[in-house]
Structure formats: structure tokens, C-alpha cells
Amino acid sequence: MKKAKVKKTLAFIVLSLVVVGFIGFVEKQTLYKTFQGTEIDIEGVSGVYFVEDAEIMKILSQAFPDLKPGVMLKEVPMKAIETRLIGHPFVKSVEAMIGQKGILNLRISQHQPIARIAQPLGADGYITTEGRVIPTSTSYTSRVLILEGDYAEMLMDKGDIKADMPELMDLIEFIIKDEFWNAQITEVEVNSKDDIRLFQQVGRQVIEFGDGHDIANKFDRIAVFYKEILPRKGWNAYDRVSVKFKDQIVCE
């Protein structure tokens, strides 16, 4: 008799727990059919953030004023949100998804600046790893290779370095990927496609590079200048070094 009562009691408890759990599940499912808020995850570039959470939230509030907690999830314009945010100059990609708790999760990656076009009479611009020209950020400044010169300014108006002068992108990438040259070459002056000049961190010599082709060979000759000529002549012996002619080093 006692065993029967225990079994009935246990069955009642189990049934009660199932009912309570089901009710909680239904309530949760009802709750999570509506938009509950936004979480933003921005992937930094070397620890630097050119776009911040607050800026993203401001864009969302202005572009989607009806996106507030309580809106049905099916009414959250996911694709429109991605399209709007990808229009930000520093946003490279956006992935929008709704989490289990009704939270809109935004995963954002940034463009990475590798060079900066400096204009004496206009706003500067960054060149990204993809060769795109984007405006500088008001929040942060990235210490990168500087480009100057009339042709560099013209390329800024073009907006795509790879499309108009891919060899310049090859030169930039060669410099920044080499530890020594990345530290030594601080500025590239682009006057025309055939007139590129390099300026150094140490040494007053202007290096006449010529066009943007045969890059590795030209830097091999510049290395010869550093290793064999400067030790004998001294750092201030020359004002100009040219490697624009094939297999030649001209020092004046």
C-alpha cells in the first residue's frame, strides 16, 4: 500500500514538472518570436577599431526606426540591415543572424588600411588590402606607408588602385611584407606610372624607382647600395640613387 502511494506521489511530481516545463517552454517560444535587441561583434584590425558599436547602433536607429524590442522576428529586415551596414566605408563584410533568445547578432569585419594617400589640398584616404580607396577615420589613425604625388592623388579619385595601377599595389605589398623595407621606406611618391620615388627613414637619398615593375630585382640593387656602397662612401655622400634602369645603380 505504501509503495503504491509512493509511486502515485512520484508520478504526480514528474507530471507536474513536465507540465511546468512545457508551460515555460511555450512562454519562452512565444517570447523569442519577437525581437529582443542587438549584439555587435566587430573584428578588430591589429587591435584597432575604425568603426565602433555606438556608430553601428546609430546607423541602425536612423535607418530602421521601427526596429525595437517586441517587433516580430519575421519583420526584422536582415538583408536590408546587411546592405545598409556594408555601405559604411570601413565595413568589409556583415553577417546578420537571429539568436535563440531573439537577439540580432551582427558580425562585422573591417577593411584593413595598408597605405595612406596624403593630399596637401584635400582629404587623405586609405588604401585597403583589396586596393580600395576609403576615407580616413575620425576615430583612429593607422600608421601605414604614405603615398604622395600627382598620380597618387588621381588614383584616389579613381577609388580602386588594382584596377588602374596594379603594379603599385604589388610595390606596396612588397614593402609592407618585408620587415626591413617596411621599417626603412616611409613614403612613396607617385608622379606618374613611370616615375615612382622612395623616401627613407634613415638616409637623405631619394631613391628613383622608375615604374612599378621588376620590383624584387630593383630592391636587390637598393640592398647592394646599402651593403656595399654606403659603408665605403658614407650615408651623406649621395643625394640621389636610381635603380630605374635595368641592372644598374646610379648614384649622384
Side-chain angles (χ1 to χ4, degrees), residues 188-217:
V188 177
E189 183 179 281
V190 188
N191 299 306
S192 70
K193 285 190 175 183
D194 300 324
D195 184 9
I196 299 174
R197 304 181 183 194
L198 310 181
F199 293 84
Q200 313 162 79
Q201 179 73 28
V202 179
R204 70 179 189 182
Q205 301 85 12
V206 177
I207 301 174
E208 295 181 352
F209 202 79
D211 60 29
H213 301 290
D214 200 19
I215 295 172
N217 181 272

PDB file of all heavy atoms in Angstrom, residues 188-217:
ATOM      1  N   VAL A 188      56.208  56.836 -50.447  1.00  0.00           N
ATOM      2  CA  VAL A 188      56.314  56.545 -51.880  1.00  0.00           C
ATOM      3  C   VAL A 188      55.685  57.718 -52.631  1.00  0.00           C
ATOM      4  O   VAL A 188      54.510  58.040 -52.413  1.00  0.00           O
ATOM      5  CB  VAL A 188      55.592  55.233 -52.251  1.00  0.00           C
ATOM      6  CG1 VAL A 188      55.649  55.006 -53.761  1.00  0.00           C
ATOM      7  CG2 VAL A 188      56.213  54.052 -51.515  1.00  0.00           C
ATOM      8  N   GLU A 189      56.478  58.344 -53.486  1.00  0.00           N
ATOM      9  CA  GLU A 189      55.980  59.456 -54.281  1.00  0.00           C
ATOM     10  C   GLU A 189      55.663  58.938 -55.682  1.00  0.00           C
ATOM     11  O   GLU A 189      56.541  58.443 -56.387  1.00  0.00           O
ATOM     12  CB  GLU A 189      57.026  60.571 -54.356  1.00  0.00           C
ATOM     13  CG  GLU A 189      56.560  61.804 -55.121  1.00  0.00           C
ATOM     14  CD  GLU A 189      57.636  62.882 -55.146  1.00  0.00           C
ATOM     15  OE1 GLU A 189      57.786  63.589 -54.136  1.00  0.00           O
ATOM     16  OE2 GLU A 189      58.336  62.994 -56.181  1.00  0.00           O
ATOM     17  N   VAL A 190      54.402  59.071 -56.085  1.00  0.00           N
ATOM     18  CA  VAL A 190      53.971  58.570 -57.397  1.00  0.00           C
ATOM     19  C   VAL A 190      53.596  59.777 -58.263  1.00  0.00           C
ATOM     20  O   VAL A 190      52.497  60.331 -58.154  1.00  0.00           O
ATOM     21  CB  VAL A 190      52.770  57.612 -57.260  1.00  0.00           C
ATOM     22  CG1 VAL A 190      52.462  56.960 -58.611  1.00  0.00           C
ATOM     23  CG2 VAL A 190      53.031  56.544 -56.214  1.00  0.00           C
ATOM     24  N   ASN A 191      54.520  60.166 -59.123  1.00  0.00           N
ATOM     25  CA  ASN A 191      54.288  61.308 -60.008  1.00  0.00           C
ATOM     26  C   ASN A 191      53.626  60.884 -61.310  1.00  0.00           C
ATOM     27  O   ASN A 191      52.873  61.640 -61.920  1.00  0.00           O
ATOM     28  CB  ASN A 191      55.604  62.029 -60.292  1.00  0.00           C
ATOM     29  CG  ASN A 191      56.228  62.576 -59.015  1.00  0.00           C
ATOM     30  OD1 ASN A 191      55.589  63.313 -58.269  1.00  0.00           O
ATOM     31  ND2 ASN A 191      57.470  62.199 -58.742  1.00  0.00           N
ATOM     32  N   SER A 192      53.941  59.679 -61.766  1.00  0.00           N
ATOM     33  CA  SER A 192      53.322  59.064 -62.933  1.00  0.00           C
ATOM     34  C   SER A 192      53.571  57.568 -62.835  1.00  0.00           C
ATOM     35  O   SER A 192      54.256  57.098 -61.917  1.00  0.00           O
ATOM     36  CB  SER A 192      53.916  59.625 -64.235  1.00  0.00           C
ATOM     37  OG  SER A 192      55.261  59.186 -64.397  1.00  0.00           O
ATOM     38  N   LYS A 193      53.041  56.804 -63.773  1.00  0.00           N
ATOM     39  CA  LYS A 193      53.254  55.356 -63.733  1.00  0.00           C
ATOM     40  C   LYS A 193      54.730  55.000 -63.893  1.00  0.00           C
ATOM     41  O   LYS A 193      55.178  53.951 -63.431  1.00  0.00           O
ATOM     42  CB  LYS A 193      52.437  54.667 -64.832  1.00  0.00           C
ATOM     43  CG  LYS A 193      50.947  54.586 -64.532  1.00  0.00           C
ATOM     44  CD  LYS A 193      50.246  53.688 -65.533  1.00  0.00           C
ATOM     45  CE  LYS A 193      48.785  53.505 -65.148  1.00  0.00           C
ATOM     46  NZ  LYS A 193      48.086  52.562 -66.072  1.00  0.00           N
ATOM     47  N   ASP A 194      55.482  55.881 -64.545  1.00  0.00           N
ATOM     48  CA  ASP A 194      56.900  55.613 -64.794  1.00  0.00           C
ATOM     49  C   ASP A 194      57.825  56.390 -63.865  1.00  0.00           C
ATOM     50  O   ASP A 194      59.044  56.289 -63.991  1.00  0.00           O
ATOM     51  CB  ASP A 194      57.259  55.963 -66.260  1.00  0.00           C
ATOM     52  CG  ASP A 194      56.454  55.153 -67.257  1.00  0.00           C
ATOM     53  OD1 ASP A 194      56.193  53.968 -66.970  1.00  0.00           O
ATOM     54  OD2 ASP A 194      56.068  55.711 -68.303  1.00  0.00           O
ATOM     55  N   ASP A 195      57.271  57.153 -62.965  1.00  0.00           N
ATOM     56  CA  ASP A 195      58.093  57.987 -62.077  1.00  0.00           C
ATOM     57  C   ASP A 195      57.670  57.778 -60.627  1.00  0.00           C
ATOM     58  O   ASP A 195      56.867  58.535 -60.073  1.00  0.00           O
ATOM     59  CB  ASP A 195      57.973  59.458 -62.470  1.00  0.00           C
ATOM     60  CG  ASP A 195      58.882  60.369 -61.638  1.00  0.00           C
ATOM     61  OD1 ASP A 195      59.730  59.840 -60.878  1.00  0.00           O
ATOM     62  OD2 ASP A 195      58.739  61.610 -61.746  1.00  0.00           O
ATOM     63  N   ILE A 196      58.222  56.731 -60.023  1.00  0.00           N
ATOM     64  CA  ILE A 196      57.979  56.425 -58.613  1.00  0.00           C
ATOM     65  C   ILE A 196      59.268  56.664 -57.844  1.00  0.00           C
ATOM     66  O   ILE A 196      60.347  56.229 -58.268  1.00  0.00           O
ATOM     67  CB  ILE A 196      57.529  54.962 -58.433  1.00  0.00           C
ATOM     68  CG1 ILE A 196      56.229  54.708 -59.194  1.00  0.00           C
ATOM     69  CG2 ILE A 196      57.354  54.626 -56.946  1.00  0.00           C
ATOM     70  CD1 ILE A 196      55.794  53.263 -59.188  1.00  0.00           C
ATOM     71  N   ARG A 197      59.184  57.347 -56.719  1.00  0.00           N
ATOM     72  CA  ARG A 197      60.366  57.636 -55.902  1.00  0.00           C
ATOM     73  C   ARG A 197      60.112  57.193 -54.459  1.00  0.00           C
ATOM     74  O   ARG A 197      58.996  57.326 -53.953  1.00  0.00           O
ATOM     75  CB  ARG A 197      60.697  59.133 -55.954  1.00  0.00           C
ATOM     76  CG  ARG A 197      60.900  59.625 -57.385  1.00  0.00           C
ATOM     77  CD  ARG A 197      61.261  61.080 -57.462  1.00  0.00           C
ATOM     78  NE  ARG A 197      61.378  61.517 -58.840  1.00  0.00           N
ATOM     79  CZ  ARG A 197      61.933  62.662 -59.228  1.00  0.00           C
ATOM     80  NH1 ARG A 197      62.406  63.514 -58.318  1.00  0.00           N
ATOM     81  NH2 ARG A 197      61.995  62.975 -60.510  1.00  0.00           N
ATOM     82  N   LEU A 198      61.153  56.692 -53.836  1.00  0.00           N
ATOM     83  CA  LEU A 198      61.050  56.191 -52.470  1.00  0.00           C
ATOM     84  C   LEU A 198      61.832  57.090 -51.524  1.00  0.00           C
ATOM     85  O   LEU A 198      62.930  57.559 -51.857  1.00  0.00           O
ATOM     86  CB  LEU A 198      61.602  54.762 -52.380  1.00  0.00           C
ATOM     87  CG  LEU A 198      61.080  53.741 -53.399  1.00  0.00           C
ATOM     88  CD1 LEU A 198      61.715  52.372 -53.141  1.00  0.00           C
ATOM     89  CD2 LEU A 198      59.570  53.641 -53.353  1.00  0.00           C
ATOM     90  N   PHE A 199      61.272  57.316 -50.343  1.00  0.00           N
ATOM     91  CA  PHE A 199      61.948  58.113 -49.318  1.00  0.00           C
ATOM     92  C   PHE A 199      62.156  57.233 -48.085  1.00  0.00           C
ATOM     93  O   PHE A 199      61.301  56.431 -47.726  1.00  0.00           O
ATOM     94  CB  PHE A 199      61.116  59.355 -48.982  1.00  0.00           C
ATOM     95  CG  PHE A 199      61.026  60.332 -50.121  1.00  0.00           C
ATOM     96  CD1 PHE A 199      60.076  60.159 -51.123  1.00  0.00           C
ATOM     97  CD2 PHE A 199      61.898  61.402 -50.209  1.00  0.00           C
ATOM     98  CE1 PHE A 199      59.986  61.044 -52.187  1.00  0.00           C
ATOM     99  CE2 PHE A 199      61.824  62.301 -51.265  1.00  0.00           C
ATOM    100  CZ  PHE A 199      60.861  62.120 -52.261  1.00  0.00           C
ATOM    101  N   GLN A 200      63.299  57.430 -47.415  1.00  0.00           N
ATOM    102  CA  GLN A 200      63.751  56.512 -46.374  1.00  0.00           C
ATOM    103  C   GLN A 200      63.605  57.081 -44.962  1.00  0.00           C
ATOM    104  O   GLN A 200      63.589  58.297 -44.774  1.00  0.00           O
ATOM    105  CB  GLN A 200      65.224  56.164 -46.599  1.00  0.00           C
ATOM    106  CG  GLN A 200      65.581  55.795 -48.031  1.00  0.00           C
ATOM    107  CD  GLN A 200      67.071  55.904 -48.257  1.00  0.00           C
ATOM    108  OE1 GLN A 200      67.816  55.007 -47.877  1.00  0.00           O
ATOM    109  NE2 GLN A 200      67.530  56.984 -48.859  1.00  0.00           N
ATOM    110  N   GLN A 201      63.561  56.165 -44.018  1.00  0.00           N
ATOM    111  CA  GLN A 201      63.597  56.540 -42.614  1.00  0.00           C
ATOM    112  C   GLN A 201      64.989  57.023 -42.228  1.00  0.00           C
ATOM    113  O   GLN A 201      65.147  58.010 -41.513  1.00  0.00           O
ATOM    114  CB  GLN A 201      63.217  55.322 -41.747  1.00  0.00           C
ATOM    115  CG  GLN A 201      63.243  55.569 -40.249  1.00  0.00           C
ATOM    116  CD  GLN A 201      62.076  56.418 -39.792  1.00  0.00           C
ATOM    117  OE1 GLN A 201      61.024  56.412 -40.401  1.00  0.00           O
ATOM    118  NE2 GLN A 201      62.272  57.162 -38.713  1.00  0.00           N
ATOM    119  N   VAL A 202      66.014  56.318 -42.714  1.00  0.00           N
ATOM    120  CA  VAL A 202      67.413  56.665 -42.459  1.00  0.00           C
ATOM    121  C   VAL A 202      68.104  56.884 -43.794  1.00  0.00           C
ATOM    122  O   VAL A 202      68.097  56.020 -44.660  1.00  0.00           O
ATOM    123  CB  VAL A 202      68.144  55.543 -41.681  1.00  0.00           C
ATOM    124  CG1 VAL A 202      69.611  55.921 -41.457  1.00  0.00           C
ATOM    125  CG2 VAL A 202      67.435  55.267 -40.359  1.00  0.00           C
ATOM    126  N   GLY A 203      68.696  58.046 -43.970  1.00  0.00           N
ATOM    127  CA  GLY A 203      69.366  58.366 -45.227  1.00  0.00           C
ATOM    128  C   GLY A 203      68.610  59.451 -45.978  1.00  0.00           C
ATOM    129  O   GLY A 203      67.383  59.429 -46.034  1.00  0.00           O
ATOM    130  N   ARG A 204      69.355  60.388 -46.548  1.00  0.00           N
ATOM    131  CA  ARG A 204      68.715  61.527 -47.217  1.00  0.00           C
ATOM    132  C   ARG A 204      68.504  61.289 -48.708  1.00  0.00           C
ATOM    133  O   ARG A 204      67.898  62.098 -49.395  1.00  0.00           O
ATOM    134  CB  ARG A 204      69.575  62.775 -47.030  1.00  0.00           C
ATOM    135  CG  ARG A 204      70.893  62.749 -47.808  1.00  0.00           C
ATOM    136  CD  ARG A 204      71.683  64.017 -47.590  1.00  0.00           C
ATOM    137  NE  ARG A 204      72.839  64.110 -48.484  1.00  0.00           N
ATOM    138  CZ  ARG A 204      73.714  65.102 -48.470  1.00  0.00           C
ATOM    139  NH1 ARG A 204      73.552  66.089 -47.597  1.00  0.00           N
ATOM    140  NH2 ARG A 204      74.732  65.115 -49.324  1.00  0.00           N
ATOM    141  N   GLN A 205      69.026  60.180 -49.227  1.00  0.00           N
ATOM    142  CA  GLN A 205      68.944  59.918 -50.654  1.00  0.00           C
ATOM    143  C   GLN A 205      67.509  59.649 -51.113  1.00  0.00           C
ATOM    144  O   GLN A 205      66.770  58.897 -50.469  1.00  0.00           O
ATOM    145  CB  GLN A 205      69.800  58.703 -51.054  1.00  0.00           C
ATOM    146  CG  GLN A 205      71.269  58.822 -50.727  1.00  0.00           C
ATOM    147  CD  GLN A 205      71.577  58.411 -49.289  1.00  0.00           C
ATOM    148  OE1 GLN A 205      70.724  57.838 -48.613  1.00  0.00           O
ATOM    149  NE2 GLN A 205      72.777  58.716 -48.835  1.00  0.00           N
ATOM    150  N   VAL A 206      67.145  60.277 -52.210  1.00  0.00           N
ATOM    151  CA  VAL A 206      65.889  59.946 -52.873  1.00  0.00           C
ATOM    152  C   VAL A 206      66.164  58.762 -53.786  1.00  0.00           C
ATOM    153  O   VAL A 206      67.103  58.779 -54.576  1.00  0.00           O
ATOM    154  CB  VAL A 206      65.358  61.135 -53.703  1.00  0.00           C
ATOM    155  CG1 VAL A 206      64.093  60.733 -54.453  1.00  0.00           C
ATOM    156  CG2 VAL A 206      65.108  62.330 -52.805  1.00  0.00           C
ATOM    157  N   ILE A 207      65.362  57.730 -53.674  1.00  0.00           N
ATOM    158  CA  ILE A 207      65.563  56.539 -54.492  1.00  0.00           C
ATOM    159  C   ILE A 207      64.608  56.606 -55.681  1.00  0.00           C
ATOM    160  O   ILE A 207      63.385  56.533 -55.516  1.00  0.00           O
ATOM    161  CB  ILE A 207      65.324  55.248 -53.690  1.00  0.00           C
ATOM    162  CG1 ILE A 207      66.285  55.188 -52.503  1.00  0.00           C
ATOM    163  CG2 ILE A 207      65.482  54.030 -54.577  1.00  0.00           C
ATOM    164  CD1 ILE A 207      66.021  54.021 -51.568  1.00  0.00           C
ATOM    165  N   GLU A 208      65.174  56.747 -56.881  1.00  0.00           N
ATOM    166  CA  GLU A 208      64.366  56.774 -58.095  1.00  0.00           C
ATOM    167  C   GLU A 208      64.090  55.335 -58.511  1.00  0.00           C
ATOM    168  O   GLU A 208      64.987  54.613 -58.932  1.00  0.00           O
ATOM    169  CB  GLU A 208      65.096  57.534 -59.200  1.00  0.00           C
ATOM    170  CG  GLU A 208      65.287  59.018 -58.878  1.00  0.00           C
ATOM    171  CD  GLU A 208      65.988  59.760 -59.996  1.00  0.00           C
ATOM    172  OE1 GLU A 208      66.457  59.104 -60.952  1.00  0.00           O
ATOM    173  OE2 GLU A 208      66.080  60.999 -59.921  1.00  0.00           O
ATOM    174  N   PHE A 209      62.845  54.942 -58.388  1.00  0.00           N
ATOM    175  CA  PHE A 209      62.470  53.549 -58.625  1.00  0.00           C
ATOM    176  C   PHE A 209      62.008  53.299 -60.056  1.00  0.00           C
ATOM    177  O   PHE A 209      62.021  52.172 -60.546  1.00  0.00           O
ATOM    178  CB  PHE A 209      61.346  53.172 -57.653  1.00  0.00           C
ATOM    179  CG  PHE A 209      61.198  51.706 -57.410  1.00  0.00           C
ATOM    180  CD1 PHE A 209      62.046  51.032 -56.532  1.00  0.00           C
ATOM    181  CD2 PHE A 209      60.211  50.982 -58.057  1.00  0.00           C
ATOM    182  CE1 PHE A 209      61.898  49.673 -56.303  1.00  0.00           C
ATOM    183  CE2 PHE A 209      60.052  49.620 -57.822  1.00  0.00           C
ATOM    184  CZ  PHE A 209      60.907  48.959 -56.949  1.00  0.00           C
ATOM    185  N   GLY A 210      61.590  54.372 -60.738  1.00  0.00           N
ATOM    186  CA  GLY A 210      61.077  54.212 -62.096  1.00  0.00           C
ATOM    187  C   GLY A 210      59.633  53.746 -62.077  1.00  0.00           C
ATOM    188  O   GLY A 210      58.808  54.270 -61.330  1.00  0.00           O
ATOM    189  N   ASP A 211      59.320  52.722 -62.875  1.00  0.00           N
ATOM    190  CA  ASP A 211      57.960  52.185 -62.867  1.00  0.00           C
ATOM    191  C   ASP A 211      57.816  51.128 -61.772  1.00  0.00           C
ATOM    192  O   ASP A 211      58.762  50.847 -61.038  1.00  0.00           O
ATOM    193  CB  ASP A 211      57.581  51.617 -64.243  1.00  0.00           C
ATOM    194  CG  ASP A 211      58.501  50.482 -64.685  1.00  0.00           C
ATOM    195  OD1 ASP A 211      59.048  49.761 -63.826  1.00  0.00           O
ATOM    196  OD2 ASP A 211      58.666  50.302 -65.906  1.00  0.00           O
ATOM    197  N   GLY A 212      56.627  50.551 -61.681  1.00  0.00           N
ATOM    198  CA  GLY A 212      56.373  49.594 -60.600  1.00  0.00           C
ATOM    199  C   GLY A 212      56.627  48.149 -60.972  1.00  0.00           C
ATOM    200  O   GLY A 212      56.103  47.249 -60.303  1.00  0.00           O
ATOM    201  N   HIS A 213      57.427  47.913 -61.995  1.00  0.00           N
ATOM    202  CA  HIS A 213      57.715  46.544 -62.436  1.00  0.00           C
ATOM    203  C   HIS A 213      59.116  46.112 -61.972  1.00  0.00           C
ATOM    204  O   HIS A 213      59.912  46.929 -61.512  1.00  0.00           O
ATOM    205  CB  HIS A 213      57.598  46.445 -63.952  1.00  0.00           C
ATOM    206  CG  HIS A 213      56.236  46.810 -64.472  1.00  0.00           C
ATOM    207  ND1 HIS A 213      55.133  46.021 -64.278  1.00  0.00           N
ATOM    208  CD2 HIS A 213      55.810  47.903 -65.165  1.00  0.00           C
ATOM    209  CE1 HIS A 213      54.075  46.587 -64.837  1.00  0.00           C
ATOM    210  NE2 HIS A 213      54.461  47.743 -65.381  1.00  0.00           N
ATOM    211  N   ASP A 214      59.378  44.825 -62.073  1.00  0.00           N
ATOM    212  CA  ASP A 214      60.688  44.262 -61.711  1.00  0.00           C
ATOM    213  C   ASP A 214      61.072  44.652 -60.274  1.00  0.00           C
ATOM    214  O   ASP A 214      62.211  45.033 -59.989  1.00  0.00           O
ATOM    215  CB  ASP A 214      61.743  44.762 -62.710  1.00  0.00           C
ATOM    216  CG  ASP A 214      62.984  43.882 -62.725  1.00  0.00           C
ATOM    217  OD1 ASP A 214      62.899  42.728 -62.270  1.00  0.00           O
ATOM    218  OD2 ASP A 214      64.046  44.367 -63.172  1.00  0.00           O
ATOM    219  N   ILE A 215      60.096  44.548 -59.382  1.00  0.00           N
ATOM    220  CA  ILE A 215      60.240  45.070 -58.023  1.00  0.00           C
ATOM    221  C   ILE A 215      61.348  44.388 -57.237  1.00  0.00           C
ATOM    222  O   ILE A 215      62.200  45.053 -56.641  1.00  0.00           O
ATOM    223  CB  ILE A 215      58.892  44.936 -57.273  1.00  0.00           C
ATOM    224  CG1 ILE A 215      57.848  45.820 -57.933  1.00  0.00           C
ATOM    225  CG2 ILE A 215      59.049  45.312 -55.797  1.00  0.00           C
ATOM    226  CD1 ILE A 215      56.445  45.625 -57.408  1.00  0.00           C
ATOM    227  N   ALA A 216      61.365  43.055 -57.213  1.00  0.00           N
ATOM    228  CA  ALA A 216      62.344  42.330 -56.408  1.00  0.00           C
ATOM    229  C   ALA A 216      63.757  42.630 -56.869  1.00  0.00           C
ATOM    230  O   ALA A 216      64.671  42.832 -56.045  1.00  0.00           O
ATOM    231  CB  ALA A 216      62.074  40.825 -56.479  1.00  0.00           C
ATOM    232  N   ASN A 217      63.973  42.697 -58.175  1.00  0.00           N
ATOM    233  CA  ASN A 217      65.308  42.977 -58.708  1.00  0.00           C
ATOM    234  C   ASN A 217      65.775  44.375 -58.326  1.00  0.00           C
ATOM    235  O   ASN A 217      66.941  44.591 -57.981  1.00  0.00           O
ATOM    236  CB  ASN A 217      65.294  42.800 -60.224  1.00  0.00           C
ATOM    237  CG  ASN A 217      66.650  43.057 -60.861  1.00  0.00           C
ATOM    238  OD1 ASN A 217      66.988  44.188 -61.208  1.00  0.00           O
ATOM    239  ND2 ASN A 217      67.433  41.990 -61.004  1.00  0.00           N
TER     240      ASN A 217
END
